[in-house]
Structures are given as C-alpha cells and as structure tokens.
Amino acid sequence: MTSYDQLLQVLRDEGHRLTPQRLIVLRVVAEGRQHMGVDEVFREAQSAYPFMDLATVYRTLRLFKQVGLVTEVAIGDRLHYELTHPDDRHHHMVCRVCHGAFNLSPHYLEEFNSTLVNEFGFIPDLDHFTIAGVCVNCRPQSPAEVGAGSEEFTLDEDPT
Amino acid sequence: MTSYDQLLQVLRDEGHRLTPQRLIVLRVVAEGRQHMGVDEVFREAQSAYPFMDLATVYRTLRLFKQVGLVTEVAIGDRLHYELTHPDDRHHHMVCRVCHGAFNLSPHYLEEFNSTLVNEFGFIPDLDHFTIAGVCVNCRPQSPAEVGAGSEEFTLDEDPT
DNA sequence: CAAGTATTTGCAACTCATTGCAAAAAGAAA
DNA sequence: TTTCTTTTTGCAATGAGTTGCAAATACTTG
C-alpha cells in the first residue's frame, strides 16, 4: 500500500467521497513543491482535469486541511498549502521581504503554549503557526556585520 | 494641546495631509469602543460626513496603522482597529468560538522574540500579535471541572 | 491670496475567497 | 445492475478588501 493510498484511506475513513477532483488535488499537492499557492494548485489540477473549478479547489483544500492531510501557510496575504508530513511537523517563519518560508520546530512554541493554557485557560491554535518577519538574509545589517555573512545562523528553508 | 491634536501632529510630522476624511476617521476610532470593525468605522464616519467612501476608510485605516496610530486586530476573518495606547501596548488572544478578544501582555512574547532573533537571525513582526484559540469560557470542560467555574483564570477582555 | 504640484478622494473595476443552489455523481442498499 | 440518498460539483452571485485613474483638494511658494 503506497503512501498515496494511505492518504486516500484517511478521507474514506472519515466518510468523505473519493471524487476525481479530490484525487487530482491530492496528487498535485503530494507531488508539488512545498507550500503551493491555490492558483498553482488550480492550474496544475486543471491541466490534469480540464473541468476543474476553482471553487472546488478551495473547498477541497479546506477539507484536506480539516482532516489534516495538508497544512495551510499564509505567505504574504495568500494562502498556500503543503502536504502534512506527520513525522516532520513544523511551523513557519515567513519573510516579509523575500517571501521565503523557513521551518520552525514546534519545540519553540511549547512554552508559549503552556503559558497561555496555564495562566489564562486559553487554548491557542498551534497546530500550525506562521510568524511573519524579516529573515537574516533580508535583514538590514549593522555596519559591523557587513561582509561577515550569516554563517552564524541556520535557516532551514523550504525548497521552493 | 489635547491628545487628539497630538495624534494629528503625528500625521503632519510624517508629511500626510489632514483631510476631513482623515480627521473624521481618527475621531471615530479615538472615541469608539475597542477594536471596531471596518464597517462600523465606515457607518459612523459616514454619519458625520455623508460623502465618505468605503475605500477611503480602508486606505485611511491602513495609513493610521502604518504610522502607528491604530492597531489592527484580526477577529474572526475580519479586520478590526483600535487606537494605539502607547502606555498600554498589548497583544490579543481571540476566541474562535465567541470571538471575544483578550489582552495579552507583550511580556509573554519577549522570550519567543529573543529566541527567533538569536537562533535564526529572524526578526519577527511582534509589534502587534494575534493568536487564535479557544478561551476558558468556551473551552470544553473536563468532567472534574464542570461546576467549578473558571475563577482560577484571569482574562482581561476588551470591553466590546 | 492666487497659482502650482503632489497627494488624496471617489468611483468603478478587480482579486481572492466563500456561498447558495440546482444538477451531477459517489457510495449504499436492494 | 438499478435505485435511492446524500454528498459534491459547477456556476453564478456575493463579500471583504485593494487598486487604477481622473477629478478634487491640501499644502507650498511667490
């Protein structure tokens, strides 16, 4: 049983129907690069199935997100999606300047999460979290740093 | 010099023109309750200045946000704005169920901020931060908690 | 205070995303 | 396989927010 079939089983198990549209969107996202924009998913899906409708792509991605098959990442002000890798869950730091997305281990949010729960009884949605900002490469460097490069930092960028 | 005039000075100092539309939007936000929706701002502004256009309200609020006069809060999926109180800066926890917005002291994000800067050289936008989730009152209670109330937590809700 | 210019407004068109609804189709049952 | 029920799709309309552009206007300078 392939990994792709396992994904389909997730849908079946929750009582969702396996329509050609869903199979295609799933395949596009599974085979595509990290965090694809909705329009990209739409174009690729449409080339495999010309009757594909944009609304269906939106609905399908939302469904996939609900059942955990994909992860939603807000890049700029557009929504992107990537296949969820259960063994490599991570959050994202998205650079406001270059729009690059960098992975962030869930470990960095554990304490924040406990604090909100313990102090306020507030349960934050931290299934997937995206924080915007400016990455090392786009950061205005202080004079002392100019020419020093940024070898001191490790940014695990999503291949795009 | 009133506080209102100080706000106007901020605009003037940055070279922005003081149009009637801007004066009115500023007054509406300054006198309004916490985090008003754009449509509310629009309605109130329109009653003071019938020619007010919705696009102008959007542009004006965006400008005010840029210069720091107002803070943008995403509640549900709509944007809300509140006057920035420099002596009471805070982030928000927004409940996905009741849509209530609760204040969160910047102190709770200091460590997270330093971690990202120190470990990744990533400078997160933490001027204002909104985290979605479920608040104590809307949280499904465990059997042991039923009837116990939520006196153990202090949620500082924005008056709405 | 009049003239000049750069910004801002109002309007309409547009984008991204969602939704109502009738028609189509998936899966279950016979 | 045929029928039935429920979900899903395609389409068109809607909603929130943004944008291009010509007309209007706030501010600057003489």
Side-chain angles (χ1 to χ4, degrees):
Chain A
M1 187 186 236
T2 73
S3 151
Y4 182 71
D5 288 332
Q6 285 175 32
L7 298 179
L8 294 186
Q9 198 54 45
V10 172
L11 287 175
R12 233 187 304 256
D13 287 350
E14 302 212 9
H16 301 291
R17 295 183 180 175
L18 301 187
T19 66
Q21 292 88 338
R22 286 177 179 169
L23 302 187
I24 286 161
V25 169
L26 184 58
R27 188 178 294 280
V28 167
V29 174
E31 293 178 352
R33 54 174 188 70
Q34 297 272 48
H35 51 79
M36 299 177 75
V38 176
D39 51 333
E40 291 175 274
V41 175
F42 176 54
R43 274 198 302 276
E44 303 239 337
Q46 208 178 29
S47 77
Y49 185 85
F51 300 105
M52 183 69 69
D53 189 85
L54 183 57
T56 301
V57 172
Y58 275 108
R59 281 189 281 231
T60 303
L61 289 171
R62 191 173 2 146
L63 173 71
F64 287 2
K65 177 187 162 198
Q66 270 166 32
V67 302
L69 287 180
V70 302
T71 297
E72 190 181 75
V73 189
I75 295 189
D77 56 355
R78 298 240 199 337
L79 297 179
H80 287 230
Y81 294 86
E82 63 181 39
L83 204 64
T84 302
H85 298 281
D87 45 327
D88 175 34
R89 306 192 129 276
H90 55 265
H91 305 293
H92 286 99
M93 298 178 275
V94 175
C95 178
R96 168 163 38 88
V97 180
C98 67
H99 290 136
F102 307 92
N103 295 344
L104 179 72
S105 159
H107 143 258
Y108 291 103
L109 283 165
E110 273 165 23
E111 193 185 313
F112 180 61
N113 178 75
S114 329
T115 304
L116 296 194
V117 173
N118 296 333
E119 300 223 2
F120 306 106
F122 187 89
I123 304 170
D125 295 335
L126 289 178
D127 201 49
H128 174 262
F129 172 84
T130 301
I131 179 81
V134 181
C135 75
V136 216
N137 311 315
C138 297
R139 190 175 73 159
Q141 290 183 314
S142 69
E145 284 176 315
V146 173
S150 48
E151 299 82 15
E152 50 182 323
F153 299 111
T154 308
L155 275 182
D156 171 23
E157 181 160 15
D158 271 5
T160 299
Chain B
M1 187 186 235
T2 71
S3 152
Y4 182 72
D5 288 331
Q6 288 176 30
L7 298 179
L8 295 186
Q9 199 54 44
V10 172
L11 287 175
R12 233 188 303 260
D13 288 349
E14 303 214 7
H16 301 291
R17 297 187 177 170
L18 301 186
T19 65
Q21 291 89 338
R22 286 178 180 169
L23 301 188
I24 286 161
V25 169
L26 184 58
R27 189 178 293 281
V28 167
V29 173
E31 293 179 353
R33 54 174 189 69
Q34 298 272 46
H35 52 79
M36 300 176 74
V38 176
D39 52 332
E40 291 175 274
V41 175
F42 176 54
R43 273 198 303 277
E44 303 238 339
Q46 209 177 30
S47 76
Y49 185 85
F51 300 104
M52 184 68 70
D53 188 86
L54 184 56
T56 300
V57 172
Y58 276 108
R59 279 190 280 231
T60 302
L61 289 172
R62 194 176 356 151
L63 173 71
F64 287 2
K65 176 188 163 196
Q66 269 166 32
V67 301
L69 286 179
V70 302
T71 298
E72 189 181 78
V73 190
I75 296 188
D77 56 356
R78 297 239 200 337
L79 297 179
H80 286 230
Y81 295 87
E82 63 182 39
L83 203 64
T84 303
H85 298 282
D87 46 326
D88 176 33
R89 306 192 130 275
H90 56 264
H91 305 293
H92 285 97
M93 297 178 276
V94 175
C95 178
R96 172 163 34 90
V97 179
C98 67
H99 290 138
F102 307 93
N103 294 344
L104 179 71
S105 159
H107 144 258
Y108 291 104
L109 283 165
E110 274 163 24
E111 193 185 313
F112 180 61
N113 178 74
S114 330
T115 304
L116 296 194
V117 173
N118 296 333
E119 300 223 1
F120 307 106
F122 187 89
I123 304 170
D125 295 335
L126 289 178
D127 202 50
H128 175 262
F129 172 85
T130 301
I131 180 84
V134 182
C135 75
V136 216
N137 310 315
C138 298
R139 190 175 71 160
Q141 290 183 314
S142 68
E145 284 176 313
V146 173
S150 48
E151 299 83 15
E152 49 180 324
F153 300 111
T154 309
L155 275 183
D156 171 23
E157 181 160 15
D158 271 6
T160 298

